[in-house]
Amino acid sequence: MAVLMSMLATLGLLLFPLNSAVEVKRPQGVSLSNRHFYDETKPFTCLDGSKTIPFDEVNDDYCDCKDGSDEPGTSACPNGSFHCTNAGHRPRYIPSSRVNDGICDCCDTTDEYNSGASCENTCKEQGRKEKETLQKMAEIAKEGFRLKQQLIEEAKRSREDKQQTLTELQKKKEIWEAQVESLKAVKEAVEKPEQEAKEIHKKAWDEVQAVRKLEKEKAKASETFKELDDNEDGFVSISEVQTHPELDSDGDGVVSEQEAESVLGGVSQVDVSSFQETIWAGIQDKYKSEAVIESLTPPEIPVDEAEDSHSKPQHEEWRKDDHDEDDDGGGEEHDDDDEEDEEEEEDDGGEEDYKDQSAPYFPEKQDTEEDKMPAYDEETQALIDAAEKARNEFSEAEKSLKEVENSIGSLEKELTIDFGADGEFAYMFNQCYEMTTNEYIYKLCPFNKVAQKPKHGGSETSLGLWGSWAGPESNRFSAMKYEHGTGCWQGPSRSTLVKLSCGKETAVLSTSEPSRCEYLMEFSTPAFCQEERDGEGTDHDEL
Ligand code: MAN
């Protein structure tokens, strides 16, 4: 077998195709550049220098050299490699183990010279296809590079515009700052008299209210006096006080003579003015107006009617006269108030809550026109209007200043971003590019953020915010890194690496998640196209 292989390998050497005028004779599996190591007239020295063997032991299917260099055309050496010339396409090395293994690896079929595999030489076809692809790529690169020049021009212009805008904004800012300052001074100047005039008005109103309150108190006292003075003799006496059990002080429910006398300040009777001045203040919190007590007393109900009303407390009518659903079990519309009442009922176990009759009861008076502070006088109003105007002008100026400051802030931020060696990537700032997969819509907003949103609804997840250029030293602008996105459950925060390629269009070509919460995007842009260097895109066929 070894002899046969040796003969075939030698045949390979001798019968090397001669149909090409520039074909150079060399042992099977040897590249053109290595052929001078294989001089058939001399013994062969392994390429690592480890051994020298007679030349006829080259390709004899027996591995002599550690580096496998004596068997370039057989599979005898485990670490050897076989060179296919692949005329018409691209030469390549394959591991020796693939020589004569029945599978066509080399497009020129030379790796299968003794396996019986019927290989077809496809080098020309493959070469043609590759040439076409390369040509297309070259065309794209050429067009992309042309576009890139435009982008660079545009970026230059836009940067200059922005710098000019920034200068203008800074001037505007100074003007607004001065304006804000002076409007603030104006505002403060007119707010002072406004405040003073308002205070005067308020004080006068407080005084009026105080007088009214006093009068009301007096009136109430005199009304009470009348109520207490049952015999209308112009005095409230001990016995008259005793008719008001709520004035009981020792809690036995009865106002004793002593207690009544004490209520009257230690005397047996008081006239209206001493009642107003000394007595009323001491009892007004306890006192229950007879008129009110009367209005709270439920009407007498005949016994059978009372039975009909079941457990309904009899005094219910005074409080909930529009709430009688218990009577007939329905038919009445419930309004919102009803519901509130029901809730209350649940709160205290369904018991009707009687008004706490131990508390004083004077119905709360609604605010009337009389209780409202009267409108300001003309002069004060004029001061308020002037101050209001000054406040508005000041806050408008402040707003404008804020707007200018914000514009300056965002312009300055934009001008500090590294948009590539010639600003070629600037055009994609403020743009977003999307790509939809089965599950998500991915969004890349260069120099800003990357996000992911479920296709069928749901909120956006941040896959990172603009971090930095992340290509290797020699090609820094070939990749972008977006970091500090939404935290990954029990993992790091999401981040995305965007790999750039040259293309006529600006588009996200693919998205993937090579490891959980670490995303990868392929992104094409003309800004990444390079000028084609000499010799690029041409054939490198070795003949
Ligand atoms: C979401 C998406 C996925 C991610 C998981 C991690 O479903 O952001 O891309 O892998 O969360 O829990």
Side-chain angles (χ1 to χ4, degrees):
M1 178 69 174
V3 175
L4 178 64
M5 287 303 293
S6 161
M7 280 172 63
L8 283 166
T10 312
L11 268 177
L13 170 73
L14 296 174
L15 302 177
F16 212 78
L18 295 171
N19 54 355
S20 170
V22 286
E23 202 68 73
V24 178
K25 281 185 182 174
R26 51 199 143 120
Q28 190 85 283
V30 172
S31 73
L32 194 57
S33 50
N34 278 358
R35 78 175 196 284
H36 61 276
F37 295 123
Y38 298 84
D39 184 348
E40 61 187 277
T41 63
K42 294 180 190 159
F44 173 74
T45 302
C46 307
L47 297 190
D48 62 2
S50 58
K51 206 172 180 183
T52 297
I53 54 172
F55 192 79
D56 58 8
E57 287 180 19
V58 169
N59 277 343
D60 67 346
D61 205 23
Y62 181 82
C63 193
D64 296 289
C65 300
K66 272 191 216 144
D67 63 359
S69 56
D70 64 313
E71 294 297 317
T74 75
S75 56
C77 295
N79 54 344
S81 44
F82 179 90
H83 181 265
C84 336
T85 304
N86 290 346
H89 187 31
R90 200 201 315 247
R92 68 183 277 220
Y93 279 100
I94 59 168
S96 307
S97 56
R98 295 194 191 168
V99 173
N100 290 325
D101 65 349
I103 297 166
C104 314
D105 293 287
C106 300
C107 65
D108 64 1
T109 74
T110 52
D111 61 313
E112 296 302 322
Y113 60 86
N114 188 34
S115 68
S118 71
C119 299
E120 210 180 304
N121 189 325
T122 57
C123 289
K124 271 210 176 108
E125 181 57 13
Q126 280 189 35
R128 191 184 57 76
K129 276 193 190 147
E130 190 178 270
K131 205 166 175 178
E132 265 175 29
T133 311
L134 285 173
Q135 259 166 3
K136 270 190 201 140
M137 277 169 65
E139 270 162 39
I140 291 172
K142 201 171 159 200
E143 175 61 4
F145 188 70
R146 194 185 62 77
L147 292 170
K148 180 178 173 178
Q149 301 316 303
Q150 289 177 2
L151 292 174
I152 291 173
E153 279 309 303
E154 215 175 276
K156 234 189 252 167
R157 261 200 310 275
S158 140
R159 193 176 172 84
E160 278 162 12
D161 285 354
K162 283 185 176 130
Q163 249 143 0
Q164 200 181 331
T165 310
L166 186 60
T167 314
E168 282 160 19
L169 282 171
Q170 265 147 355
K171 275 190 210 140
K172 269 193 192 166
K173 184 184 163 204
E174 279 172 27
I175 295 170
W176 278 119
E177 272 169 348
Q179 189 82 345
V180 164
E181 269 310 294
S182 78
L183 288 172
K184 189 177 176 200
V186 169
K187 179 178 90 83
E188 283 167 1
V190 294
E191 271 178 339
K192 205 165 170 253
E194 177 209 27
Q195 204 48 39
E196 284 165 4
K198 276 171 88 172
E199 267 163 28
I200 290 171
H201 185 85
K202 170 91 174 24
K203 207 168 155 215
W205 170 238
D206 286 348
E207 279 164 13
V208 167
Q209 274 185 313
V211 169
R212 281 190 190 160
K213 195 174 168 212
L214 217 65
E215 278 167 2
K216 273 185 201 159
E217 283 305 310
K218 258 177 126 178
K220 222 184 269 172
S222 114
E223 211 178 287
T224 309
F225 183 87
K226 264 191 230 153
E227 250 183 23
L228 281 168
D229 183 13
D230 293 327
N231 59 9
E232 297 179 15
D233 65 348
F235 293 97
V236 168
S237 63
I238 286 175
S239 59
E240 284 164 342
V241 170
Q242 283 183 291
T243 63
H244 276 257
E246 76 272 16
L247 298 178
D248 165 40
S249 56
D250 62 8
D252 66 358
V254 177
V255 182
S256 67
E257 264 184 49
Q258 285 87 335
E259 282 171 328
E261 191 179 301
S262 153
V263 165
L264 294 178
V267 295
S268 59
Q269 59 176 32
V270 293
D271 65 6
V272 68
S273 64
S274 36
F275 183 82
Q276 282 173 331
E277 280 154 33
T278 58
I279 310 302
W280 172 236
I283 63 167
Q284 65 174 339
D285 287 346
K286 275 181 157 185
Y287 185 77
K288 278 200 204 116
S289 160
E290 288 165 17
V292 173
I293 290 173
E294 203 164 299
S295 78
L296 296 179
T297 309
E300 289 283 316
I301 301 174
V303 177
D304 41 347
E305 260 185 57
E307 274 169 6
D308 277 355
S309 62
H310 308 289
S311 60
K312 186 175 165 185
Q314 294 183 354
H315 72 289
E316 195 177 35
E317 302 301 328
W318 58 262
R319 211 172 70 79
K320 296 165 115 199
D321 51 0
D322 60 347
H323 189 151
D324 52 1
E325 80 272 25
D326 287 348
D327 283 346
D328 51 20
E332 293 281 334
E333 279 197 2
H334 285 230
D335 59 18
D336 290 350
D337 292 339
D338 289 340
E339 278 170 24
E340 272 172 31
D341 287 342
E342 278 161 17
E343 274 171 27
E344 275 173 27
E345 283 166 22
E346 273 170 26
D347 285 345
D348 56 20
E351 265 293 303
E352 283 294 337
D353 56 331
Y354 289 77
K355 272 268 169 206
D356 178 3
Q357 296 202 12
S358 67
Y361 185 74
F362 288 107
E364 284 293 320
K365 225 172 117 237
Q366 293 294 306
D367 270 7
T368 62
E369 277 305 305
E370 206 187 47
D371 298 315
K372 285 188 197 142
M373 187 169 78
Y376 292 109
D377 60 279
E378 243 175 67
E379 216 175 298
T380 307
Q381 191 56 52
L383 289 171
I384 293 171
D385 293 345
E388 196 54 36
K389 188 165 169 265
R391 275 192 287 273
N392 285 341
E393 282 171 0
F394 168 72
S395 68
E396 282 301 310
E398 257 195 336
K399 212 166 104 191
S400 304
L401 175 61
K402 267 266 142 349
E403 276 168 18
V404 170
E405 282 172 344
N406 286 344
S407 309
I408 290 176
S410 45
L411 256 186
E412 278 178 343
K413 192 174 161 221
E414 186 178 339
L415 286 166
T416 58
I417 297 177
D418 183 355
F419 288 129
D422 298 304
E424 61 272 28
F425 297 101
Y427 76 100
M428 42 177 96
F429 185 67
N430 281 337
Q431 306 286 325
C432 292
Y433 305 90
E434 286 190 356
M435 159 133 208
T436 304
T437 64
N438 282 345
E439 239 186 303
Y440 299 105
I441 300 167
Y442 286 89
K443 189 155 87 174
L444 166 64
C445 306
F447 306 102
N448 183 6
K449 63 172 186 177
V450 182
Q452 174 200 55
K453 199 177 166 166
K455 207 160 123 187
H456 304 293
S459 55
E460 205 175 85
T461 300
S462 167
L463 303 188
L465 300 175
W466 166 242
S468 57
W469 287 104
E473 192 105 328
S474 58
N475 200 4
R476 210 158 57 87
F477 301 116
S478 61
M480 292 167 151
K481 186 89 188 151
Y482 293 80
E483 302 158 304
H484 310 302
T486 307
C488 191
W489 190 69
Q490 288 188 335
S493 61
R494 288 171 173 76
S495 63
T496 304
L497 184 69
V498 179
K499 283 195 174 164
L500 274 62
S501 63
C502 160
K504 285 195 264 188
E505 317 282 340
T506 306
V508 177
L509 303 178
S510 75
T511 63
S512 55
E513 194 178 345
S515 81
R516 197 165 146 265
C517 294
E518 285 178 9
Y519 302 83
L520 179 66
M521 272 187 172
E522 288 180 310
F523 184 52
S524 82
T525 161
F528 190 67
C529 298
Q530 311 297 322
E531 185 160 33
E532 208 178 305
R533 276 170 277 136
D534 280 350
E536 232 172 6
T538 56
D539 252 347
H540 298 285
D541 292 353
E542 188 184 339
L543 294 169

